Amino acid sequence: MSTPPPTGPLVTRDTLARQLHQLGVRSGETLLAHTSLSSLGWVNGGAVTVVRALLDALGPDGTLVVPTQSGDLSDPAVWGNPPVPEEWWATIRATMPPYDPRTTPAVGVGVIPETVRTWPGALRSAHPQTSFAAVGPRAAEILDGHATDCRLGEHSPLARLERLHARVLMLGTGYATCTGFHLAEYRIPSPRVRVGRPAAGGGWEEVTEVAITSDRFDELGYDFERDRPVVVRGPVGAAEARLFPMTEAVAYAERWLVVHRPREEEI
């Protein structure tokens, strides 16, 4: 059986860059992008074209930031998709490769962040499970000092992005992927968890971290969009895109989560 032809639309680098500008992306700004390649239509050149278009829209003075998470560097005891047999756990812990920002691939965030991670001149932060990658003149300023016991809190690139008044681009993705909301979890009463992972020098380690979850983030995002006239929406390729200030989104999330999704500070 032959494969049916793509239905389009046909999307090019120039198309994407123009639509990003029409959405409101500004040359010289700092942008945290959450992306879905499949949502854009038939992109001539795939993820590389999307990254080039984002950099075109930002210009030489702009900085592009993406999440490059590697959540597979974690305790096999908590794996569920799929789980692995308990008799494997000790061997997996003993042999799991440690995080290397140069070679550890991004997992679960799509092909565009992995493309940014390997882009010429890209930098990547130090956290072994929730790193970010960036291209542009402010990359080092944003990524340096990502504490290895602070996934998405005050000592992560999210807090740097907030201070720099970065904006968030949701390119064909929903609010459930909005990492900026996690920064709010660090500023309100939240449980702590023990997080296992391969140690940088070999072996296995555990650290105590804030328990993060994207549960109800979609609802949070739509309430934010309803209540704050700062979210710009528009088409980019076949996708619906959203663009908004990170500072306002985090501040709204701090208030919303306390009321709508309260959690105990300790577990």
Side-chain angles (χ1 to χ4, degrees):
M1 182 183 297
S2 62
T3 303
T7 57
L10 169 61
V11 180
T12 69
R13 174 178 173 178
D14 289 344
T15 301
L16 291 171
R18 182 178 66 254
Q19 291 179 324
L20 287 165
H21 274 307
Q22 291 171 345
L23 183 71
V25 174
R26 299 189 294 260
S27 179
E29 75 170 313
T30 299
L31 198 66
L32 172 60
H34 300 282
T35 57
S36 166
L37 178 62
S38 63
S39 73
L40 293 171
W42 196 89
V43 180
N44 189 18
V48 170
T49 289
V50 178
V51 175
R52 290 191 183 280
L54 285 163
L55 295 175
D56 289 345
L58 290 169
D61 296 325
T63 299
L64 173 64
V65 185
V66 295
T68 49
Q69 298 169 4
S70 44
D72 56 331
L73 299 184
S74 58
D75 192 339
V78 301
W79 292 354
N81 190 27
V84 293
E86 185 173 352
E87 59 267 25
W88 293 7
W89 294 355
T91 302
I92 290 173
R93 293 183 186 118
T95 60
M96 185 178 290
Y99 172 70
D100 185 333
R102 299 164 300 178
T103 59
T104 300
V107 175
V109 289
V111 66
I112 293 171
E114 177 65 1
T115 303
V116 173
R117 182 188 74 80
T118 60
W119 203 259
L123 301 178
R124 191 181 189 187
S125 69
H127 197 283
Q129 294 169 326
T130 56
S131 65
F132 292 78
V135 176
R138 307 198 85 158
E141 178 183 2
I142 293 164
L143 302 179
D144 286 353
H146 189 175
T148 56
D149 61 351
C150 182
R151 288 185 287 191
L152 299 170
E154 302 299 338
H155 302 289
S156 79
L158 290 178
R160 302 274 181 89
L161 288 164
E162 182 190 38
R163 290 196 292 272
L164 291 172
H165 301 285
R167 291 198 292 172
V168 178
L169 173 68
M170 311 292 292
L171 189 57
T173 65
Y175 283 106
T177 68
C178 183
T179 53
F181 288 157
H182 289 296
L183 181 57
E185 292 183 297
Y186 282 73
R187 297 176 176 172
I188 62 174
S190 297
R192 268 55 175 178
V193 292
R194 294 291 290 171
V195 178
R197 66 198 186 191
W204 191 257
E205 66 180 4
E206 288 189 350
V207 296
T208 300
E209 259 283 10
V210 170
I212 56 176
T213 173
S214 58
D215 180 44
R216 299 187 69 183
F217 273 13
D218 271 332
E219 184 182 347
L220 161 58
Y222 288 118
D223 283 356
F224 169 63
E225 189 171 309
R226 178 198 65 206
D227 295 341
R228 296 289 183 268
V230 295
V231 180
V232 179
R233 296 171 56 179
V236 176
E240 179 177 55
R242 289 175 168 85
L243 182 68
F244 52 88
M246 183 169 173
T247 301
E248 295 202 34
V250 173
Y252 186 91
E254 287 182 53
R255 296 187 293 270
W256 192 96
L257 289 169
V258 168
V259 173
H260 298 281
R261 204 197 68 184
R263 298 195 293 163
E264 296 297 325
E265 188 166 359
E266 298 294 338
I267 58 172

